[in-house]
Amino acid sequence: MSNEKRDATADEARALANPLRLRILRLCLDEALTNKQIADVLGRDPGSTLHHVRMLVETGFLEATEVRQGAKGALEKPYRATGKSWQLSVSDPTQA
């Protein structure tokens, strides 16, 4: 198994450059969480965290898991980290 990492694309690097998105990835590493759960843990508005969750999904760092029924009967879409960030090298363009 190779430990070689590939360079992140510009979109991937942008997604990982935000500290809030890194926190979201850490929260979803061991447990699939809904956007509402993520927002509650981070003390943020769900609308704000949804923007970050969507960017992480679009860049492949998060994936939606099977829709489940919540405690009050509403359908929930949990997200889980894919581990993709471990396969990337993100270099600082100012360090050359």
Side-chain angles (χ1 to χ4, degrees):
M1 180 178 206
S2 174
N3 288 337
E4 203 168 310
K5 295 183 175 189
R6 70 165 176 83
D7 289 337
T9 66
D11 286 341
E12 290 168 338
R14 253 189 309 279
L16 294 176
N18 185 292
L20 184 61
R21 288 192 282 269
L22 291 176
R23 288 183 67 196
I24 291 170
L25 287 177
R26 282 193 292 273
L27 287 173
C28 296
L29 186 60
D30 296 322
E31 176 183 14
L33 299 172
T34 65
N35 182 62
K36 171 94 170 75
Q37 290 171 315
I38 293 167
D40 289 347
V41 170
L42 296 175
R44 300 286 181 122
D45 176 76
S48 170
T49 57
L50 185 58
H51 162 76
H52 297 288
V53 165
R54 285 180 175 161
M55 178 176 244
L56 291 167
V57 169
E58 288 171 10
T59 52
F61 293 108
L62 277 183
E63 63 185 0
T65 61
E66 191 172 320
V67 174
R68 64 187 184 203
Q69 191 167 9
K72 296 183 179 181
L75 295 180
E76 301 177 334
K77 184 190 293 186
Y79 298 91
R80 185 154 197 161
T82 63
K84 178 180 175 181
S85 59
W86 293 99
Q87 303 164 8
L88 300 176
S89 173
V90 181
S91 59
D92 184 348
T94 62
Q95 304 290 319

